Every structure is written in C-alpha cells, then in structure tokens.
Amino acid sequence: MESQTIQVDHCAVRKEKPKSDQLDFGRIFTDHMFIMDYSDDLGWHDPRIEPYQQLSIDPSAMVFHYGQSVFEGMKAYLTAEDEIQLFRPEKNMQRLNNSNDRLCIPPIDEKFAIQAIKKLVSVDSDWIPEAEGTSLYIRPFIISTEPYIGVAPSLHYKFIVILSPVGAYYKEGINPIKIAVENEFVRTVKGGTGEAKTGGNYAASLKAQEIAGKKGFAQVLWLDGVEKKYIEEVGSMNIFFKINGEVITPELNGSILEGVTRNSVIQLLKYWDVPVVERKIGMEELQQAHHDGLLEEAFGAGTAAVISPISQFTWNNNDSLIKDGKTGAIAKRLYDTLTGIQYGREKDPFDWIVKVEKGSKIAH
Amino acid sequence: MESQTIQVDHCAVRKEKPKSDQLDFGRIFTDHMFIMDYSDDLGWHDPRIEPYQQLSIDPSAMVFHYGQSVFEGMKAYLTAEDEIQLFRPEKNMQRLNNSNDRLCIPPIDEKFAIQAIKKLVSVDSDWIPEAEGTSLYIRPFIISTEPYIGVAPSLHYKFIVILSPVGAYYKEGINPIKIAVENEFVRTVKGGTGEAKTGGNYAASLKAQEIAGKKGFAQVLWLDGVEKKYIEEVGSMNIFFKINGEVITPELNGSILEGVTRNSVIQLLKYWDVPVVERKIGMEELQQAHHDGLLEEAFGAGTAAVISPISQFTWNNNDSLIKDGKTGAIAKRLYDTLTGIQYGREKDPFDWIVKVEKGSKIAH
C-alpha cells in the first residue's frame, strides 16, 4: 500500500478562514479531506485528497444502523519558527487498528495513513491557526458503507480524514473543572468496546453527561460497569490522582481507552522520577484519601484539553473540594511540558514530534 | 405534528422488482423512502416521501463519529385476500421513543410516524412479495446529522424509513440452530444502552458473532456483563426456555431489549394457559435442567425469524443437545400462530394487526 499514490484534487475556491482568536471546537473544516475506499475484492484503494464535501451514502449503509465505525483524534501544531508538528501520530494509528480489530473492520496500513495525514495537513497548512494555544484538529475515521441491513461486518468502508482549526481549550489559562461521579449510567464494561475508539461508547455517554451538565458539572466520572466501585475515565479523558506523593491512574482493564496523552503523562512522570502507578482505584479509597487530606491533585488527560485539572468531585451528593480548588503543581508542569513539546518550545527527549512540510513545498 | 402533510415526490422510473422466491434479506430496497428533518429551531419538520436515493451528509456529521442513532425493524405482510397488514407498529414506535430518550434524541410523534410508515408502504405496496413467508421489511431509523465533532447531543437529525422486500427466513421450513454461549465478549451491561435499539449494541456484537460463526454456530448466547452468569439474549433475539413444563424468559433488567415478538409470545402463552415467567435464569441452572432431562425447548424470538428454535447450546466446550434437536411443540405453535396472525390466516384476538391501504387507492 505504501507505493499507492495519493491523488490530489484541489478545490477551485478556498473558503474564508476564521479569525485565529475566535475559534471554537469542531465546527469549521478546512478546504480538503482525505478519502480511501475499501471493498472486499480490492482492499483499501483509491487514496485521494479531494475538496471537503458532503458524502453521498446509501440510506441502508451499515454505519447508520449498526454503528460499525471507529475514529481517532490528534492535532497539528504551529511552532514559533513556523514549523508544523504532529504529536505521536503512530500511537493514534496503532490504536485505530486496535479499534478496527474489535469492530471487525479491516486494518489500515499505519505508515501509509500517517503519510496521508501529513499530505493532507500540508495541502491545508495555511489553515493551522497561529494564536496561542490554537491548533489544527485532525479527525481520521472509518465508516462502514455497504448498502446492506443484515447484522454482519460490512464489506465496504471509507477511511476519511477531516481537519478543523480549533481554538485554545483554555481561553483564560488552564482552569479546573467540577465533576460528578456517575452511579447510574456506565460508559462500557469489560468484554464490551471500551478499549476501542468507536461511536457507541460516546453515544452511551451522552445521557449521563447531559444530566450532569444541567447540574453544573463539566464532566462525569465513570465507574466500572461491573461493581460500580472502580474509577475508569472522566468524560472522554483518562484520569490521574496524586495521593500522598504518588500519581495513580486506573490500569488498562479492557474497558478503559488507552490514551496517547495518558501514555505520555506516565512517561514524563517516570522521566522526572515522580512515583506513578497504574492500578485499580475505587471511589471508597479516593474519598478516604480526600478525607485524610492525602488527595493532592486530580486531573484528566486527553488530546483536546491535554491536561484538565479537577477542582472538585461530587459523589452521592457529597462535594469534595480537592486542596484549594486550584490547579496542582504536577498538572501544571505536565500541561506546560506537553504543550511545550507540541508547540516546539521545549525539547522533545522522547522523539514524540513528527514534522510536516508546509504546503508551498509540496508539488501541486 | 399530526396535521403535517406528507409531500410525495414519486420517482420517474420504477426499479425492476426481484423474483419473489429469490429474495435475500436486506439488500434490495424499494422505489421510495420517507424522510423528516429535525432542527433545534423547527423541531421535526418537512415530512416527505421521496425517490429512494443516496443521502448527502457532511463528513463531520455526528452519526459518523459518536454513533448517536436509533432504529426499528418491522414488517408488512400480504394476506391471501391481497390485504396489507402491519404487526403492532405502535410497539415499535413506543420503543423508538424509548431508544430516543436513552440516546438524547428528540422524541417523534408516534401516531404520525405510523401514518408516515403506512403511507410509504402504500406508495410502494406493489413491492410486497407474495411468495410464502416473504414480507416487506420496514426499517425506520434516526441519525444525528449536525456537522459538529464535539461530544454532545446533535441539534440536527433525520428520521428515515426505508423498505426492503425479504425472503422467507426459513426457506425449507422452520429449522433449529446451534448456539454458542459467549464467555468473553458482552453485548452491553446495566446502565449501558442495552434497552435501546442503537447501533453501538450491534457494533459491539460483531466480533463474538464472527468468531462463533467460524466455529459453525448460528448465533451467540449473551450473558450479563456483570457476572457473566445470567442469560440475556441470543444473537439479536430474545430467548425463551421451556423447563419442566414452564416457559421462562430473562426478565427485563435494563440491558435486555424489550422485543415486540417477546411481548407477543408472553401474551400468547398466557392466552393458552401455558405457564410463563419472566425471571433471571443463569447458565448453571440451564445446564442442570438439561442434565436432569427437564430442558424441553429453547427458542429465540424476534421480528426477522419470528421464532428460532435452538437445537443445541455449547458452553465451555460442552455441547448440550436439546431433546432430539427437533423443533419443540411450543416453538412450532407460537411460530404458526404468530405468522398466522401476521399473514391473516388466523384470528387476531389481541388487535395486533393494522391494515394498510394499497397504493392504487391513494391519490397521487
């Protein structure tokens, strides 16, 4: 597949770009998109960059009925030196293939997919916003398109990449959030699809999030689907706690998504000689640690926010303020270092950065 | 909403119809489809019947990324008197709204939706196949179409109904299947989306089904996601056992889909004074009942197969043949009665049937 040529069909008229400091998340898309088709006889074929446009899909396509889809989320960053950087794209493509496996979707060639993403970012490189904290969000996804309403893996798919310039997650500096522990709804369970980045997990999360949102919480804290005791994720982020000097994150158990930011946080903490452990952690333990004054920090980790400090959790109507409700030192250091590496302000000791050439250098 | 007029745009050229005795399931669709749009400002609006055609949807539409979708399955039957019958459509529309609620999708007007389905079936009534056991499968579904990749309930939806002429489920008479008890993967869990008819549940089921299929099993038997002890569903059907003279089906527990056929089976059994109970039933109990010679029948119940007798289950590599592997008397009687009512051969003591006028009687 590496030898496949990516055809580029440039759009005739470029869209007007939004102002860099007025960007929201995920509502504006760039001029082009990458598409590649799969059929059982041809495999993945016809990789191409086209003008961003509506998809024409049969109403019987499997994705509309049986949710056979997977996706990824990553970003392109512009450095002060006007260089374009991706952050660990190989991790996202590995995970996409893990998700594919769980959802019975044929694997993609990971290296070729990164090449395609780099080319697409390059073609639309003038869409990468420049203002502090902004970036170009990259959304690779695969949908099942066979026009057949039998419950079976589809024989046709589309792998698509779209790009969206996004504003700074924290408009006024990194800002702690209040979260609600969810006792009724669960996101997923061991044996389900929790390890995969697939639509159904997110669809299942909407109801709890809606209820919590109306009560003034930014996110819900998901407990395990079996005992509803153990902490899994927060919203669509992984979660970390600092208890008595040690950083703890729930171990990967088959229902927790293996976050790229999660993995990066663990590597950084080890690099800094900060004690970090992946293990089961229950709500009772967390509440007790808070009660004993040992819960020093809590924060979410994910591509969108990078690090999201948690100021308070509410469980069974009890509000627990974490320390003074301010961003903790570890969360701040992780945020500064990760964004520093992403935006090229800090050294990259782990070779996490992949450079992308600017569009003008690409032959059209 | 009842007062809304359904605009009908007839297609210019009718497609060629398949031969009634050569029909498969879910690959051929009729000439028309019903569509109605939702936006947060207009609510459900613009109900219309259009030529069956590809949907034009933005690649950022929520359904492609976060699986916010629901569907239903029902059938139109042609009687020997050339009358068109629906079976309990109000149950499907009730369930669609229950699914909508779980998925944060705005409710539809159930009566209007049935009116729309009747009108669509009427317009394409010459597509209802005539051969024994054939029918017109009706697939109502709702997809989230807002072009926004934030994780939040969509503000735009499409409610669509498509129709597919389908062959007899049992080409050579009702035929028992072998099933495998699934110990690794789960379909869903309490607190998840199991009660809702949403894509993610079906996407989650593909992997186990694929593995079981390769081993020669027709369906998997799903156990509960918490203890993996209690029986939930078989494939995408509800399940019934006859043990020592009593019919048992797993009680609705928050993760089992409330099947329309399941409900009809329970009503029929009560009408016949056959003991029937909804309760938890575990694999240990089932295995023991089989061992003691008390397991008299097992069968699935769903719209596609109506009744699907089970001849054998395999748990932890132990094969258990149920009786002599033949279709049981209760399964046979239920199948004959339900299909009898659906095709107008039997009396309908429950008022389950809703008649549809033939297209020629509808003003174009």
Side-chain angles (χ1 to χ4, degrees):
Chain A
M1 175 125 47
E2 274 96 336
S3 62
Q4 286 201 43
T5 307
I6 300 170
Q7 296 296 329
V8 183
D9 175 16
H10 285 273
C11 61
V13 181
R14 292 277 181 142
K15 288 185 270 196
E16 196 178 342
K17 290 174 190 64
K19 288 199 175 139
S20 196
D21 57 351
Q22 289 173 2
L23 285 168
D24 208 352
F25 178 84
R27 295 197 182 275
I28 293 168
F29 299 90
T30 65
D31 289 315
H32 298 90
M33 60 202 271
F34 173 81
I35 304 196
M36 176 165 67
D37 298 307
Y38 179 92
S39 62
D40 49 333
D41 50 344
L42 295 175
W44 287 110
H45 66 278
D46 197 12
R48 59 205 185 270
I49 289 171
E50 291 183 348
Y52 186 96
Q53 61 194 285
Q54 303 267 298
L55 300 173
S56 180
I57 299 188
D58 200 274
S60 68
M62 207 155 294
V63 67
F64 296 136
H65 304 268
Y66 306 129
Q68 199 195 5
S69 67
V70 295
F71 71 96
E72 274 300 326
M74 47 210 286
K75 288 177 175 175
Y77 309 87
L78 202 63
T79 71
E81 290 72 37
D82 209 31
E83 290 197 298
I84 304 168
Q85 304 203 138
L86 302 181
F87 183 75
R88 311 188 74 184
E90 72 286 355
K91 293 289 283 180
N92 292 91
M93 292 304 104
Q94 275 168 19
R95 186 171 64 185
L96 188 63
N97 267 342
N98 291 344
S99 301
N100 281 338
D101 182 64
R102 179 63 183 86
L103 273 296
C104 299
I105 297 174
I108 54 152
D109 180 317
E110 295 170 21
K111 285 191 182 145
F112 180 73
I114 292 171
Q115 192 184 317
I117 288 168
K118 287 168 77 173
K119 186 150 188 170
L120 178 65
V121 169
S122 186
V123 165
D124 277 345
S125 62
D126 50 353
W127 278 87
I128 308 177
E130 295 180 5
E132 173 74 22
T134 64
S135 59
L136 188 68
Y137 185 83
I138 302 168
R139 168 54 59 89
F141 63 108
I142 299 177
I143 54 175
S144 46
T145 53
E146 188 185 358
Y148 173 46
I149 53 171
V151 180
S154 177
L155 299 179
H156 304 161
Y157 300 88
K158 283 184 189 295
F159 173 68
I160 302 174
V161 185
I162 55 177
L163 307 175
S164 174
V166 297
Y169 193 86
Y170 299 105
K171 308 258 184 232
E172 295 159 8
I174 185 170
N175 200 18
I177 58 170
K178 294 179 185 180
I179 65 171
V181 182
E182 177 58 48
N183 283 324
E184 183 185 356
F185 296 106
V186 302
R187 182 183 154 267
T188 177
V189 70
K190 189 168 177 347
T193 54
E195 277 184 321
K197 211 162 169 72
T198 181
N201 298 340
Y202 296 80
S205 79
L206 295 173
K207 185 84 174 173
Q209 182 67 38
E210 186 175 75
I211 293 167
K214 282 181 184 157
K215 292 180 185 164
F217 298 101
Q219 301 282 351
V220 299
L221 185 66
W222 298 107
L223 302 184
D224 77 283
V226 173
E227 299 181 73
K228 292 192 184 155
K229 279 184 184 175
Y230 296 99
I231 295 163
E232 300 232 313
E233 300 187 14
V234 56
S236 50
M237 293 182 282
N238 294 114
I239 193 161
F240 291 79
F241 302 100
K242 183 161 171 255
I243 297 178
N244 199 18
E246 183 184 57
V247 179
I248 301 161
T249 192
E251 65 189 357
L252 300 176
N253 61 355
S255 63
I256 292 174
L257 189 77
E258 187 175 357
V260 176
T261 311
R262 176 187 184 278
N263 178 286
S264 307
V265 163
I266 293 169
Q267 281 199 53
L268 270 177
L269 292 172
K270 287 181 176 168
Y271 185 70
W272 293 337
D273 287 326
V274 174
V276 55
V277 60
E278 300 173 63
R279 66 163 170 89
K280 268 183 146 178
I281 175 166
M283 272 311 299
E284 294 283 357
E285 179 186 347
L286 188 72
Q287 191 80 285
Q288 188 64 47
H290 178 263
H291 180 264
D292 297 342
L294 299 176
L295 177 58
E296 296 156 9
E297 293 192 35
F299 55 89
T303 294
V306 186
I307 298 295
S308 182
I310 296 160
S311 57
Q312 181 184 301
F313 65 90
T314 297
W315 188 37
N316 299 330
N317 296 317
N318 288 317
D319 300 336
S320 297
L321 186 72
I322 298 171
K323 285 293 174 189
D324 53 2
K326 301 245 167 66
T327 298
I330 286 285
K332 182 75 168 57
R333 187 177 176 196
L334 284 164
Y335 180 79
D336 289 344
T337 307
L338 283 167
T339 56
I341 293 170
Q342 288 162 346
Y343 288 95
R345 294 186 301 261
E346 300 235 7
K347 265 186 273 182
D348 169 26
F350 309 100
D351 272 334
W352 282 341
I353 293 301
V354 172
K355 300 271 186 193
V356 177
E357 283 190 81
K358 280 222 159 188
S360 56
K361 296 181 189 166
I362 299 280
H364 283 180
Chain B
M1 176 124 49
E2 275 95 337
S3 62
Q4 286 200 44
T5 308
I6 300 171
Q7 296 296 328
V8 183
D9 174 16
H10 285 273
C11 60
V13 182
R14 293 276 183 142
K15 289 184 270 195
E16 197 179 339
K17 290 176 190 64
K19 287 201 174 138
S20 198
D21 58 352
Q22 289 172 2
L23 285 167
D24 207 352
F25 178 85
R27 295 196 181 276
I28 293 167
F29 299 90
T30 65
D31 289 315
H32 299 89
M33 61 203 269
F34 173 82
I35 304 196
M36 176 165 67
D37 298 306
Y38 179 91
S39 61
D40 50 332
D41 50 344
L42 295 174
W44 287 111
H45 65 279
D46 197 12
R48 60 205 186 271
I49 289 171
E50 291 183 348
Y52 185 96
Q53 62 194 287
Q54 303 267 299
L55 301 172
S56 180
I57 299 187
D58 200 274
S60 68
M62 207 154 296
V63 66
F64 295 135
H65 303 268
Y66 306 128
Q68 200 195 4
S69 68
V70 295
F71 71 94
E72 273 301 327
M74 48 209 288
K75 287 177 175 174
Y77 308 88
L78 202 64
T79 72
E81 290 72 37
D82 210 31
E83 290 197 298
I84 304 168
Q85 304 202 139
L86 302 181
F87 183 75
R88 311 188 75 185
E90 71 287 354
K91 294 287 284 179
N92 293 92
M93 291 305 104
Q94 274 167 19
R95 187 172 61 185
L96 189 63
N97 266 344
N98 291 343
S99 300
N100 280 339
D101 182 64
R102 179 64 183 85
L103 273 296
C104 300
I105 296 174
I108 54 152
D109 180 317
E110 295 170 20
K111 285 191 180 146
F112 180 74
I114 292 172
Q115 192 185 317
I117 288 167
K118 287 168 76 173
K119 186 151 189 171
L120 178 65
V121 170
S122 187
V123 166
D124 277 345
S125 62
D126 52 353
W127 278 88
I128 309 177
E130 294 179 5
E132 174 73 22
T134 63
S135 59
L136 187 68
Y137 185 83
I138 302 167
R139 168 55 58 90
F141 62 107
I142 299 176
I143 53 174
S144 46
T145 53
E146 188 186 359
Y148 172 47
I149 52 171
V151 180
S154 177
L155 299 179
H156 304 160
Y157 299 89
K158 283 184 188 294
F159 173 68
I160 301 174
V161 185
I162 56 176
L163 306 175
S164 174
V166 297
Y169 193 87
Y170 300 105
K171 308 259 183 229
E172 294 159 9
I174 185 168
N175 200 19
I177 58 170
K178 293 179 185 180
I179 64 172
V181 181
E182 177 58 48
N183 284 323
E184 182 186 355
F185 295 107
V186 301
R187 184 183 152 267
T188 176
V189 70
K190 186 168 179 350
T193 54
E195 277 184 321
K197 210 162 170 72
T198 182
N201 298 340
Y202 296 79
S205 79
L206 296 173
K207 184 84 173 174
Q209 182 67 38
E210 186 175 74
I211 293 167
K214 281 181 186 159
K215 293 180 185 164
F217 298 101
Q219 300 282 352
V220 299
L221 185 66
W222 297 109
L223 302 184
D224 77 282
V226 174
E227 299 181 72
K228 292 193 184 155
K229 279 185 184 175
Y230 296 100
I231 295 163
E232 299 232 312
E233 301 188 13
V234 58
S236 50
M237 292 182 283
N238 293 115
I239 192 161
F240 290 79
F241 302 99
K242 183 160 171 254
I243 297 177
N244 200 17
E246 182 182 59
V247 178
I248 301 162
T249 192
E251 66 189 356
L252 301 176
N253 61 355
S255 62
I256 292 173
L257 190 77
E258 186 174 358
V260 177
T261 311
R262 175 187 184 279
N263 179 286
S264 307
V265 164
I266 293 169
Q267 280 198 53
L268 271 177
L269 292 172
K270 286 181 176 169
Y271 185 69
W272 293 337
D273 287 326
V274 174
V276 55
V277 60
E278 300 172 64
R279 67 164 169 88
K280 268 182 149 179
I281 175 165
M283 273 310 300
E284 294 283 358
E285 178 185 348
L286 187 72
Q287 192 80 285
Q288 188 64 46
H290 178 263
H291 179 264
D292 297 343
L294 299 175
L295 177 58
E296 296 155 10
E297 293 190 37
F299 54 89
T303 294
V306 186
I307 298 293
S308 183
I310 296 160
S311 58
Q312 181 185 303
F313 65 91
T314 298
W315 188 38
N316 298 330
N317 296 316
N318 288 317
D319 301 335
S320 297
L321 186 72
I322 298 171
K323 287 293 174 188
D324 52 3
K326 301 247 168 63
T327 298
I330 286 285
K332 181 74 167 57
R333 188 176 176 197
L334 285 165
Y335 179 80
D336 289 344
T337 306
L338 283 168
T339 56
I341 293 170
Q342 287 162 346
Y343 288 94
R345 294 186 301 260
E346 299 236 6
K347 265 187 273 181
D348 169 26
F350 308 99
D351 272 335
W352 282 341
I353 294 301
V354 171
K355 301 270 186 192
V356 177
E357 282 191 83
K358 281 224 159 188
S360 56
K361 295 182 188 165
I362 298 281
H364 282 182

